[in-house]
Amino acid sequence: ALHEGHVVSAQELTVLLQPVFTQNSRNLIVFLQDTLSIDDFTYLSESYSNKNPFQNIQEILQSSPSSLVLPAVDCEATRYLLSFLQESGDWKLTNVTNLGDSQLEVNTSKPNLLVVQLQPLVGGLNEISTLEAIAENDKIIGRLTMDLQERGIHFSVIYTAVRPSRISRRTDVVGKLRRQLMATEEEDTLSYPPLNVTTGNNICILFYASNFSLKANSSVFIDLTNATFVRQNVDLSSSDCSDINTTLSLKYTKPVNGISSLEIRFLMSNKFYGSSARNWSTLDSVEIVQDEGKLAKFNVSVISAPAEYSFHCQLVGTSNLYPARLIPSNNEAKNWDVFISRLQIQGFNIENDQFSYASDCTGFFTPGIWMGLVTSIVLLWILAYGIHMIMQLTTNSRFDDPKGPALSVPQTE
């Protein structure tokens, strides 16, 4: 029995799954998705009633002899579970990344631990794409489990994700009517810590994003969120820090099939501006280097903050709809689409190894506020004009008497 709102820790998950580890047929399959939350099962099913993206998963739950649904599990639990089983010695770990029509190779003579990496969900604002990606993963789960059942292999299945797709905000913080950023007490709401670059014993760059994705040639989707923040399978050795210029270099080896190496650089500067009489930190450009040859360069708009602050923006990328844009500056950059959500970055004046107060890319007068103000002014003008016209109405000074002669009004009156 779990209390509402309780997050299952890594140790608690291990205890709950002990019956799976100790049974005679120990074949454990972990279907690992990049993002997933318990709310997705109800939200996506209710939003698109004609299409159930979790059809095979629900059928497996109903037909299984036993099942366990945990609404909230610690993000570190999956990594801890895999390490725990590997350290136990007798589990054979197999990572499955090629999800073609091939069967899962299971040697029933020893305990098997198969980690199936499902395709990442398409990041962005398009919920239809997310629905289709989840439905495709559901088909893969249904096909692989049905194949094992037909081969007479007994197994247990875990369907989970590396990080949650929905992060609930704390009600006590929302009540303070302040921005939900990573500074001060908001840090416990994060699903993973920010990426940091150190020089000596000091942190000189902090970088965080809830979704960090690229798309090459409008076809190859690259999700770098897990590699950057969760597994931290990224090379930061080329990053450089100084009081004037800072470069955050992220190098990835074989992020997807067809790309052997990928480097992403964030070039920041710290300059003094006389008009404001203070230093400002600016993200000047973003560069993408593919296979150490093809250079895509983007100019950046609206990404600046006082040098003592960090910068935060809900959406950053190449789309015209984002408040902070990456504008292609050469032909190679036109082949890339960039999507970063909940970006927060700081390259100067980091204190106490955490983000400073964040300067947000969204101003206080958003388009919605301006629309409300303009509409209110127009309605008030119509109301004032109507009241003015009513006040101009006058009554007749003389009236016609039906018993007397007809009232004659000269033209001069």
Side-chain angles (χ1 to χ4, degrees):
L2 300 175
H3 295 287
E4 184 178 357
H6 176 70
V7 178
V8 178
S9 65
Q11 290 77 9
E12 291 174 332
L13 180 64
T14 304
V15 173
L16 290 171
L17 297 180
Q18 278 300 325
V20 177
F21 305 151
T22 57
Q23 62 184 357
N24 294 330
S25 177
R26 292 187 291 173
N27 296 311
L28 180 61
I29 306 173
V30 180
F31 289 102
L32 195 59
Q33 202 165 268
D34 57 343
T35 61
L36 184 69
S37 293
I38 194 68
D39 294 338
D40 293 335
F41 288 88
T42 54
Y43 173 74
L44 294 175
S45 299
E46 292 176 357
S47 300
Y48 310 96
S49 56
N50 58 337
K51 183 187 295 186
N52 184 4
F54 300 101
Q55 179 178 355
N56 290 298
I57 295 174
Q58 292 178 352
E59 291 179 355
I60 292 173
L61 285 173
Q62 295 173 358
S63 61
S64 298
S66 62
S67 62
L68 175 65
V69 178
L70 301 176
V73 180
D74 190 346
C75 297
E76 299 293 331
T78 303
R79 189 190 311 176
Y80 175 84
L81 178 63
L82 298 179
S83 301
F84 171 79
L85 293 178
Q86 284 184 279
E87 292 173 358
S88 63
D90 55 350
W91 288 83
K92 179 185 177 182
L93 175 63
T94 305
N95 288 296
V96 181
T97 56
N98 186 11
L99 300 176
D101 296 330
S102 59
Q103 295 179 337
L104 293 177
E105 297 296 333
V106 179
N107 184 3
T108 57
S109 61
K110 61 176 63 176
N112 291 277
L113 174 60
L114 292 88
V115 181
V116 181
Q117 299 284 346
L118 299 174
Q119 65 175 353
L121 307 185
V122 177
L125 301 177
N126 191 350
E127 293 180 352
I128 301 296
S129 301
T130 303
L131 181 75
E132 293 175 351
I134 290 180
E136 184 64 27
N137 288 340
D138 179 73
K139 292 180 181 178
I140 294 173
I141 294 174
R143 176 175 59 82
L144 295 179
T145 54
M146 182 63 67
D147 175 66
L148 293 177
Q149 289 178 350
E150 292 176 351
R151 291 156 60 186
I153 299 175
H154 298 281
F155 60 92
S156 300
V157 173
I158 296 177
Y159 177 45
T160 185
V162 178
R163 65 183 190 275
S165 60
R166 305 169 189 272
I167 302 176
S168 302
R169 294 180 174 179
R170 290 164 44 188
T171 56
D172 58 333
V173 176
V174 174
K176 296 179 182 178
L177 298 179
R178 59 190 299 274
R179 296 176 180 174
Q180 302 295 312
L181 305 182
M182 291 176 59
T184 65
E185 71 270 22
E186 318 309 326
E187 292 185 358
D188 59 347
T189 64
L190 300 178
S191 55
Y192 41 75
L195 186 71
N196 63 76
V197 177
T198 60
T199 54
N201 296 326
N202 299 321
I203 295 178
C204 61
I205 303 177
L206 285 173
F207 175 63
Y208 173 84
S210 63
N211 195 328
F212 184 26
S213 306
L214 308 175
K215 184 177 286 188
N217 300 317
S218 301
S219 58
V220 181
F221 181 76
I222 309 172
D223 189 353
L224 301 175
T225 311
N226 294 338
T228 306
F229 302 104
V230 181
R231 300 194 304 269
Q232 294 193 358
N233 187 19
V234 56
D235 182 10
L236 304 174
S237 59
S238 297
S239 300
D240 180 60
C241 297
S242 70
D243 295 334
I244 300 175
N245 296 301
T246 294
T247 301
L248 172 61
S249 174
L250 308 174
K251 291 184 178 180
Y252 306 89
T253 303
K254 293 184 178 179
V256 292
N257 293 332
I259 298 179
S260 59
S261 66
L262 188 67
E263 181 182 5
I264 303 175
R265 305 182 190 132
F266 295 84
L267 285 78
M268 296 172 283
S269 63
N270 180 13
K271 298 179 182 179
F272 178 81
Y273 292 85
S275 58
S276 60
R278 70 184 307 170
N279 284 53
W280 284 75
S281 170
T282 305
L283 179 60
D284 299 318
S285 62
V286 175
E287 298 177 351
I288 301 176
V289 183
Q290 177 185 347
D291 299 329
E292 299 182 356
K294 300 178 181 179
L295 173 64
K297 186 174 182 179
F298 300 86
N299 294 328
V300 182
S301 66
V302 201
I303 299 186
S304 61
E308 301 81 10
Y309 294 172
S310 63
F311 175 83
H312 174 271
C313 196
Q314 193 68 21
L315 293 173
V316 177
T318 52
S319 173
N320 295 329
L321 302 177
Y322 298 159
R325 287 195 59 206
L326 303 182
I327 305 171
S329 62
N330 61 2
N331 292 329
E332 186 65 29
K334 298 178 181 179
N335 299 326
W336 290 89
D337 294 321
V338 182
F339 172 77
I340 307 175
S341 63
R342 289 188 62 195
L343 167 72
Q344 189 163 2
I345 190 170
Q346 184 173 358
F348 305 95
N349 302 315
I350 297 176
E351 297 181 357
N352 301 323
D353 296 340
Q354 62 182 5
F355 280 110
S356 303
Y357 176 83
S359 175
D360 201 88
C361 62
T362 302
F364 291 100
F365 283 91
T366 62
I369 294 177
W370 279 115
M371 291 176 61
L373 288 175
V374 171
T375 304
S376 301
I377 292 173
V378 172
L379 293 177
L380 287 174
W381 182 84
I382 294 174
L383 177 62
Y385 179 77
I387 294 175
H388 175 73
M389 295 301 294
I390 291 175
M391 293 177 64
Q392 297 300 317
L393 295 177
T394 58
T395 59
N396 297 331
S397 59
R398 290 177 292 175
F399 297 91
D400 191 7
D401 186 3
K403 297 182 179 179
L407 181 65
S408 177
V409 180
Q411 291 293 332
T412 57
E413 298 183 13

